[in-house]
Amino acid sequence: MLRQEASIAQNIKLKRTRDAVEAAISGAIDRLMSFSKVPDNGLVLFCGENFDTEEYKCYVFSPPEKVTVYFYRTDKYFHTEFLEDMTEENEVYGLIIVERDQATIGILRGSRILVLEEFEGFVPGKHMMGGQSQRRIDRIVEEMYHNFLKEVGEKVNQHFLPLLEEGKLKGILLGGPGYAKKDFFDGDYIDYRLKKLVLEPLVDLGDQGEAGLREMVMRMKDVLKSQKYVEVQSLMDELKYHLAKDDGLIVYGLDYIKKALEMGAVDSLIVYDEENPELQKVIQEAEKYGAKVYVVGDELPEAEWIKKTFGGAVGKLRFKVD
């Protein structure tokens, strides 16, 4: 792909720009040739020239967490937005949903919820045979249930103990639809150090998977109120409320947002993360005028709504403005 880009770059009319792009692509190719395979967490590569200092730089590294997107861009600046959560949000919450024969394990970091593993067991329901046969079957079913919870515990230890040892794991949320979550907590299924981090109350839930993890986080929002994901979701709820009331306390449209910022009227702002210079200017202006800014990507369920309906930015006002 980079070799194709090198061919296309020959058509750039401005010589200085053409030379800079060709040098960056050539440097990227040279460095990629030194890798026999992509590292487990992916590969990040930045190459380019600073036109002001005429200094050429090329960085290549495997980040501390997995990169979940493929992104290539020739631009005036390096796109670091996909990596920022890895450095800005060092605290992680573990997420566990467990029921009789299903489990989901995930983490909450910054504004992202990541599903680490989903799996099922086979634990039959109750049988009505009666007598000794019934008691024997009940014992077998109980043993299968115990073995499933044990498997869940082993996977939780596998995912969360490294985070604990790195000093990143701040707490664990545990939930599920029935009694299994309490059985799991009361039993010796997870490392005692992790058990100490389980936050109360245990959460009643109706779903597994990512939907269940999101529901669990929001049900514990009072405990996690200073956490970025909860703050963004709470702000989204407020924006929807004001939008439904049509009370004039939300603002969107880049020109309107800029004017409201200049008036000191913007309390908080959600901006969709994309390579849009106008949106970048809005972020800088918002920070200058003391508005709280949340830059979000596709990890937010409403991200597409913010992008398409509001042009990439929407905010809550402190007071109405004309």
Side-chain angles (χ1 to χ4, degrees):
M1 187 276 288
L2 286 175
R3 291 192 180 98
Q4 282 183 318
E5 288 290 316
S7 298
I8 295 169
Q10 294 172 6
N11 299 321
I12 298 173
K13 292 182 179 179
L14 293 174
K15 183 178 185 304
R16 189 179 181 194
T17 303
R18 182 174 67 247
D19 291 346
V21 172
E22 288 180 336
I25 292 173
S26 176
I29 290 173
D30 287 346
R31 282 154 181 80
L32 286 177
M33 292 293 286
S34 65
F35 288 85
S36 59
K37 66 174 185 176
V38 178
D40 290 341
N41 282 355
L43 200 60
V44 177
L45 196 149
F46 297 114
C47 288
E49 178 188 347
N50 185 322
F51 274 14
D52 294 330
T53 63
E54 297 186 352
E55 186 179 16
Y56 177 82
K57 291 183 183 264
C58 206
Y59 306 98
V60 58
F61 58 92
S62 181
E65 298 170 30
K66 286 190 178 181
V67 177
T68 56
V69 296
Y70 170 76
F71 183 84
Y72 171 80
R73 188 73 80 243
T74 301
D75 213 330
K76 294 179 181 178
Y77 60 94
F78 293 151
H79 286 267
T80 61
E81 57 267 28
F82 304 104
L83 309 174
E84 285 166 5
D85 270 354
M86 298 181 189
T87 56
E88 289 180 356
E89 300 290 346
N90 206 30
E91 293 179 346
V92 177
Y93 284 88
L95 308 173
I96 308 167
I97 302 175
V98 61
E99 56 184 296
R100 187 176 176 81
D101 57 357
Q102 280 184 280
T104 304
I105 301 171
I107 59 171
L108 170 65
R109 184 197 302 275
S111 61
R112 296 181 298 160
I113 287 179
L114 301 177
V115 177
L116 300 178
E117 194 159 354
E118 292 182 77
F119 54 98
E120 297 182 357
F122 177 69
V123 182
K126 291 187 177 293
H127 293 263
M128 301 299 294
M129 297 185 68
Q132 291 188 358
S133 295
Q134 178 65 49
R135 288 193 291 274
R136 179 169 52 83
I137 291 173
D138 285 346
R139 285 196 298 271
I140 293 172
V141 170
E142 193 63 28
E143 185 177 352
M144 294 173 75
Y145 174 54
H146 166 76
N147 288 339
F148 178 70
L149 294 185
K150 184 178 178 183
E151 180 187 0
V152 175
E154 289 170 352
K155 290 181 181 291
V156 166
N157 289 341
Q158 175 187 334
H159 287 296
F160 292 169
L161 280 177
L163 294 172
L164 178 71
E165 288 161 2
E166 291 168 15
K168 294 181 179 179
L169 191 66
K170 189 172 182 182
I172 296 173
L173 276 59
L174 173 60
Y179 56 83
K181 59 183 177 290
K182 189 173 188 311
D183 290 344
F184 182 75
F185 179 74
D186 291 341
D188 294 324
Y189 296 110
I190 59 175
D191 188 283
Y192 73 96
R193 293 169 293 172
L194 297 178
K195 193 170 182 177
K196 289 179 180 178
L197 292 178
V198 175
L199 303 174
E200 294 187 8
L202 306 184
V203 188
D204 290 323
L205 296 169
D207 288 318
Q208 286 278 349
E210 186 174 350
L213 297 182
R214 292 186 184 280
E215 181 187 355
M216 180 162 63
V217 168
M218 292 313 295
R219 288 193 176 211
M220 292 289 281
K221 64 182 181 181
D222 289 341
V223 177
L224 305 172
K225 55 189 174 185
S226 62
Q227 213 281 333
K228 184 179 176 183
Y229 178 87
V230 173
E231 288 184 351
V232 172
Q233 289 292 347
S234 297
L235 178 55
M236 281 304 311
D237 290 342
E238 287 188 66
L239 292 172
K240 290 175 184 177
Y241 171 77
H242 292 303
L243 188 64
K245 284 189 70 178
D246 194 21
D247 57 11
L249 288 176
I250 71 166
V251 61
Y252 52 91
L254 297 184
D255 288 339
Y256 290 114
I257 289 174
K258 288 173 185 175
K259 288 175 182 176
L261 284 168
E262 290 169 3
M263 298 171 67
V266 179
D267 173 78
S268 45
L269 195 64
I270 296 180
V271 181
Y272 182 75
D273 194 358
E274 62 178 337
E275 62 280 3
N276 181 325
E278 290 302 311
L279 288 177
Q280 298 302 319
K281 287 179 186 176
V282 165
I283 293 171
Q284 292 169 6
E285 287 291 299
E287 291 171 345
K288 183 170 78 175
Y289 285 104
K292 194 156 190 179
V293 184
Y294 299 97
V295 180
V296 301
D298 293 329
E299 75 279 355
L300 185 73
E302 295 91 345
E304 195 70 12
W305 183 56
I306 293 169
K307 182 180 179 182
K308 290 187 175 178
T309 305
F310 301 112
V314 58
K316 183 181 75 170
L317 297 175
R318 296 188 176 98
F319 50 84
K320 286 186 185 181
V321 296
D322 293 335

